[in-house]
Structures are given as C-alpha cells and as structure tokens.
Amino acid sequence: MASQQQNGNHRGCPMNGCGHQATGSCTAPARDLPGDPMINFIRPDQPSRCTWSAAGTSDPSPHHHEPLVPRPALLSTILEAVGQTPLVKLNKIPASYGLKCNVYAKCEFLNPGGSVKDRIGVRMVLEAERKGLLKPGCTIIEPTSGNTGIGLAMAAAAKGYQCLIVMPEKMSNEKVDTLKALGAQVIRTPTEAAFDSPEGLIAVSQSLQRSIPDSIILDQYRNAGNPLAHYDGTGAEIVEQLGGNVDMVVIGTGTGGTLTGIGRQIKQSCPTCKVIAADPEGSILAEPEELNRSNVSFYEVEGVGYDFLPTVLDRTVVDRWYKFNDREALPLARRLIRDEGLLCGGSSGGNLHVALEAAKELKEGQNCVVILPDNIRNYLTKFVSDNWMEARAFKESINTYNHPWWNDRISSIKMSFPITVTDDKTIAEAIALLKQHNLNQLPVVTSTGAIKGVVYLPNLMGKLLNCLAKPTDSLKRAIFKQFVKIDHQETVGRASRILEKDPFIVITRTDQIEGDVKHDEALVGVLTQRHIFDFIANHSNGAEDNTQ
C-alpha cells in the first residue's frame, strides 16, 4: 500500500470533508453580514460527503497526495521539519502493567511546534495555497484548543501571513504566550459555551472572518487537509516504521482528523490491525452512545473530546472505543515523563491509559502504537506542577517537613463570609465593589447563592485592556473560572500547597447528602495567601489563630 500511495493509485476518497471548502477566501474582501450572526453560522458537524470505504471503490481519489520522502539534510524553512517523528519503545510502564506485547509511542510532541497539529496546520495552508484560496496579505483565522493554532501560527510566521486564533479560556496560558510569540492575535471565548453558541469559538471565528477583509478560516473541523495529513503522513510513517507489522494503534479524538487519517491508512495497509479510539469522559464522540453517559461537565485534559461530531471524524474506522478521565490521564502523563523520559502532555496520558487496557489482548511479539500528541511546554503551570496536581487531588499532598499544623482543618482558620456579587450585575458594579472593599477577587453567585465563578482583578484587567469586555457589559462576560475550590474540611496542609502558587482558594461546604443526592455546595469563604501566612506565623509563635 505504501507504493500505491506514492504512485497515487489508491481508490476512492480517503478523506472526510470532501466538497467542503475553507470559510471565506482572500480572493474578495470579507463583509459583515447584518442580523443574527447564527443565521450565517456554518456548522462544523455537517455530514461528510466522502465516498471512502475500507473495501475501496473504482473511483480515483479526488485529493492531492504527498508521498513519504526522506528528509533532506538542509531545510529551507522550519515547515519542512514537520512530520517523520520517531517511534519509541516504552519499557517501564508496560512492564509494570504486565503487558507482553511491544508498546511504541509515536512521538508527535517532537514536531517543531510541539504537537501532532503541526501536520494539519502546514497541510491546510499548503492546500489552500495550491487551490488559490490563500494569497499574500491574507489573515488566517482559526477556532482551536491551541495546538492547531500554534501549527497555523508557525506556518503563518514562516510564510508571512497574519494569524488570528480563537480559543476557549480553559486552555493554558502557555499556549497563549506561544501564539503571541509567533505573532498571532488571540481571542478567548467562554469554556462552557456550546459549539453552536453565539459566544462559542466557532461562531466568534466566523463573525471575525466576515468583518476582516482578506481573511480565511481553514476550518480543521471540515477541511479534508486535516485527515489527509495523517493519511499521507502519520499513518504511512507508522506502517513504514514497523514494516507493516502493526497490530493495534491507539489514537485520541479531538476533531477526529488524526483518527480518520491514521485509521484509514491502517485499514488499507494493515487490515487486521485494531484501531482503538480514546475519548475523555464528558465528550460525546464515542460509540456506542451509552459510553458517553456521564455527569462530567468539565475535564482538565486539553485538545480532546467535543460536544458535537466534527465533519472530518469517521467513526467507521474504529474497532473499539474507550473512555478515560483526568484522574487516569494526568498521573500517567507524569509517569511518561518520569519513567520513560518523554516530555509529553496530558492527553498522552489518556491515550496511554487506553492503550494499557486495550493491549492486554495482544501477545508477545505483537506491536501496539500509541499516539503522544503534544509536549509539556503548554502545561508547565498545569499538570507538570505538583501544586496544581495537589490542588485538584490528582496527587497527594505530603507533609515533607513535618509541620505541626498540616492536618488542621481549614475550618479552624477564621474567615469572614466574603463580599459577593450576583451574576445579573454589570462589570462596572463589580469594579465598584472591588474598589470599595479593597479586594482582588470577588465571588460571583446566582440569586439563589450558587457559585458561578470569581471576578479576579488580573483577569478583569486583561479583558478591559484587550477590549474583550467593557464596564457596561454584563458581569457574565468577566467571570473567571480557572480557580481552585475545596471543601472547608480539607487540611491546612493541602491549602498551603495550593497557595504557594495560587493567590486564593474558594472554600465551600456541602451541608448534607440524602441517599445518593448531593446538595449544592455553599460558599464559606475565600482563603488567601495572607490568611495562610498569618495562620502559619501565629502557629509558629504558639499563639491562638485569629486570622480574619
């Protein structure tokens, strides 16, 4: 099949997204369309018009294909360094799980931009240029969880395009800083906004494209260049690197382009190979549907899972789906770093968790490949940090220095009930409260007292300075949600570890549990670094704590 691919003789259409074009082009000025922005919304979950099947068809592929060629010794731009990542055998971790088969990591984090998404960023740009959709002076706009944005921003920097990236607030600040360093402009959207919400990253991107002349959305959710990059590249590389002896491949699902491209290449080149898909709890991509039933509404692992089925996702290539969660993925990602020396990101841990489970059926001598999508650069202040892991109870807080106050309860620290603001107020009203009470943070609650988030001064200042909000806007546009929240019966030791890095913690209480029903949490207070400092200082002096 490798020779067929290089000769362009494979049959049918190997990619999803056939017939779908990028949104907008640089051949004419964009225009701002009147009325409800959702009237003109281009859905990212349109059914694919692809004709591919594992059995093949008599029709030639409508796509331009790139054969695998050796990398030259000298590269004309950094874009030529994308792809041809190594397969590295995992040793300690599979052995500790008693696996007999070989487990190989496809090290996509070694791409120059740091992730598997470099492949599609470069491929979508090249395809758009080849079709005349992208020309000098264009602005590339893309909704993304970050890594595709970095790949596109890297391509834009090398080729001289402007770049504007729209991404949810959940995504790490390291991604934002990397994008800005590459010259991209970054717009943040609410994490909880649905894919078809006017405030979601896709609708915001499309609105920006209509208002910015000479702009284009390459649209990773619908662009055939997404899975095509993995069909011609990642999948073909895996087959070549293992001489066709691939028994199982484990792939995470975000847009689904990686899964579709690798899966289709594997199904044609190694028909007996099992394609395993990894999907986080809280996402709806897995099959059968009952696998997606979950009360998880938020997960920390980035770049995987969605609340819709992207056009480029072909679930027919999947032999079996597995779900994973943060508690399984993030500690395993740390083990990949510590035990195998692989500096990869959190979703790599999720993929590995699934691989360790699925590969139990493989025998000695068989080969399992797991995709490691990105590197740790984007997560240095997240799961790479012990404090961050301890704050979210993914890692136990250890009393290394035998502090006598360590196991005291947070409830023993005297905190006044905090000043709050309801979510029906304006940003200006919240600012007035911050000034009046000399506060840096202000819990936001509903009329019934449910916690919605926090107005956090640095976050609010950033929104105002970057024109992402104005004082007359609803406070809902300025709610900060990336804070730590713990129960008042947690230990002072754990709180102290969190407050080494975080400026404050929201303290809550659950009054009672009836049967299996857990009542809504109640706000107790806001614990700051000053509170914990005074508590420790008073304890060290042998005085009674009177922290206020």
Side-chain angles (χ1 to χ4, degrees):
M1 291 304 297
S3 62
Q4 287 181 350
Q5 179 187 348
Q6 291 175 10
N7 293 330
N9 293 329
H10 51 317
R11 296 181 175 182
C13 166
M15 296 303 113
N16 266 4
C18 287
H20 297 301
Q21 297 291 338
T23 304
S25 75
C26 290
T27 58
R31 61 196 186 281
D32 197 5
L33 301 179
D36 184 349
M38 299 309 292
I39 292 176
N40 306 296
F41 182 65
I42 299 173
R43 296 185 66 90
D45 59 347
Q46 297 171 348
S48 172
R49 297 199 289 268
C50 184
T51 61
W52 182 91
S53 72
T57 73
S58 59
D59 300 323
S61 170
H63 299 290
H64 170 75
H65 289 278
E66 295 288 344
L68 288 181
V69 295
R71 179 177 292 164
L74 300 176
L75 307 180
S76 59
T77 75
I78 191 61
L79 306 186
E80 294 180 9
V82 173
Q84 303 208 32
T85 56
L87 270 184
V88 175
K89 187 176 182 181
L90 301 184
N91 298 293
K92 296 178 184 176
I93 297 176
S96 71
Y97 279 76
L99 294 185
K100 302 298 183 184
C101 66
N102 301 313
V103 179
Y104 292 97
K106 182 64 170 165
C107 297
E108 290 301 297
F109 62 90
L110 293 179
N111 278 300
S115 87
V116 65
K117 296 293 190 175
D118 290 358
R119 293 180 185 263
I120 74 169
V122 172
R123 185 59 176 263
M124 291 192 301
V125 166
L126 293 177
E127 289 293 314
E129 288 179 336
R130 193 176 60 82
K131 294 174 181 177
L133 299 173
L134 190 55
K135 297 180 179 180
C138 277
T139 297
I140 297 171
I141 301 172
E142 189 72 13
T144 169
S145 59
N147 281 328
T148 299
I150 291 171
L152 286 171
M154 181 177 69
K159 287 180 166 285
Y161 299 117
Q162 300 297 311
C163 189
L164 194 161
I165 299 301
V166 183
M167 59 190 292
E169 291 179 334
K170 160 187 168 178
M171 307 310 165
S172 70
N173 288 329
E174 288 92 334
K175 289 180 180 177
V176 176
D177 291 340
T178 301
L179 285 163
K180 290 181 176 179
L182 285 166
Q185 182 182 351
V186 180
I187 302 293
R188 308 298 291 272
T189 59
T191 296
E192 67 275 11
F195 80 95
D196 55 357
S197 164
E199 295 187 338
L201 73 166
I202 297 173
V204 169
S205 297
Q206 293 180 14
S207 178
L208 288 166
Q209 191 277 321
R210 291 193 295 268
S211 65
I212 298 174
D214 296 330
S215 63
I216 184 172
I217 298 174
L218 295 177
D219 197 349
Q220 60 180 320
Y221 305 107
R222 300 165 55 245
N223 194 316
N226 178 350
L228 192 64
H230 300 295
Y231 181 89
D232 288 347
T234 324
E237 289 170 20
I238 291 170
V239 173
E240 183 179 82
Q241 287 167 321
L242 284 172
N245 297 315
V246 191
D247 301 290
M248 179 177 287
V249 59
V250 180
I251 311 164
T253 44
T255 64
T258 307
L259 177 68
T260 299
I262 295 176
R264 289 183 169 184
Q265 178 63 250
I266 289 293
K267 288 300 180 184
Q268 289 182 217
S269 302
C270 308
T272 62
C273 178
K274 298 295 184 184
V275 175
I276 306 297
D279 190 42
E281 294 177 5
S283 169
I284 61 114
L285 301 182
E287 290 183 309
E289 179 58 33
E290 50 263 30
L291 281 178
N292 297 319
R293 293 173 186 164
S294 171
N295 58 6
V296 174
S297 59
F298 174 85
Y299 48 89
E300 295 285 359
V301 174
E302 299 184 19
V304 285
Y306 275 105
D307 59 345
F308 66 95
L309 299 178
T311 297
V312 297
L313 172 60
D314 179 7
R315 298 192 290 183
T316 68
V317 300
V318 179
D319 291 292
R320 194 158 61 252
W321 290 83
Y322 287 80
K323 304 292 279 192
F324 67 86
N325 58 44
D326 290 335
R327 195 167 297 280
E328 295 159 342
L330 298 175
L332 257 181
R334 290 287 297 262
R335 282 197 66 187
L336 278 166
I337 298 168
R338 183 186 67 247
D339 291 351
E340 304 286 352
L342 302 177
L343 299 177
C344 53
S347 62
S348 297
N351 289 356
L352 179 59
H353 170 77
V354 169
L356 293 171
E357 184 65 28
K360 290 177 181 177
E361 67 185 47
L362 297 183
K363 301 175 182 177
E364 187 172 358
Q366 290 189 295
N367 298 319
C368 172
V369 175
V370 57
I371 307 298
L372 304 189
D374 67 356
N375 68 25
I376 68 169
R377 176 201 61 212
N378 294 333
Y379 314 106
L380 294 176
T381 57
K382 288 195 150 188
F383 85 93
V384 180
S385 162
D386 285 343
N387 301 75
W388 189 94
M389 291 286 282
E390 291 171 26
R392 289 149 185 83
F394 298 139
K395 186 176 188 296
E396 183 183 358
S397 296
I398 304 297
N399 188 5
T400 305
Y401 299 105
N402 296 317
H403 294 299
W405 44 262
W406 188 270
N407 291 319
D408 289 355
R409 301 297 172 188
I410 293 173
S411 55
S412 65
I413 300 177
K414 298 175 183 177
M415 290 177 287
S416 300
F417 190 81
I419 305 296
T420 62
V421 61
T422 52
D423 61 353
D424 58 352
K425 302 298 184 183
T426 66
I427 291 175
E429 290 173 299
I431 291 173
L433 282 172
L434 289 170
K435 291 171 65 177
Q436 178 184 348
H437 298 282
N438 193 29
L439 297 171
N440 281 345
Q441 60 279 323
L442 190 65
V444 181
V445 298
T446 65
S447 58
T448 60
I451 303 167
K452 297 294 290 183
V454 175
V455 177
Y456 180 42
L457 186 58
N459 176 262
L460 177 58
M461 184 172 69
K463 287 183 178 291
L464 295 174
L465 288 174
N466 291 286
C467 298
L468 299 177
K470 54 185 183 295
T472 54
D473 285 344
S474 166
L475 183 57
K476 293 176 182 178
R477 292 185 62 88
I479 296 178
F480 178 68
K481 295 190 175 182
Q482 306 304 307
F483 61 89
V484 179
K485 180 172 56 179
I486 62 176
D487 189 81
H488 73 307
Q489 289 301 314
E490 288 284 353
T491 65
V492 174
R494 183 180 171 206
S496 70
R497 288 288 291 154
I498 298 168
L499 289 170
E500 283 184 52
K501 296 291 180 68
D502 287 39
F504 67 92
I505 308 172
V506 172
I507 308 301
T508 62
R509 180 187 68 245
T510 302
D511 289 327
Q512 61 183 118
I513 298 177
E514 296 178 0
D516 294 330
V517 178
K518 182 177 181 180
H519 288 271
D520 290 340
E521 59 195 4
L523 178 65
V524 171
V526 175
L527 190 68
T528 65
Q529 291 175 332
R530 182 72 195 198
H531 281 121
I532 210 77
F533 176 79
D534 288 345
F535 178 85
I536 294 171
N538 287 338
H539 203 289
S540 298
N541 291 333
E544 289 293 322
D545 176 56
N546 59 359
T547 303
Q548 297 295 327

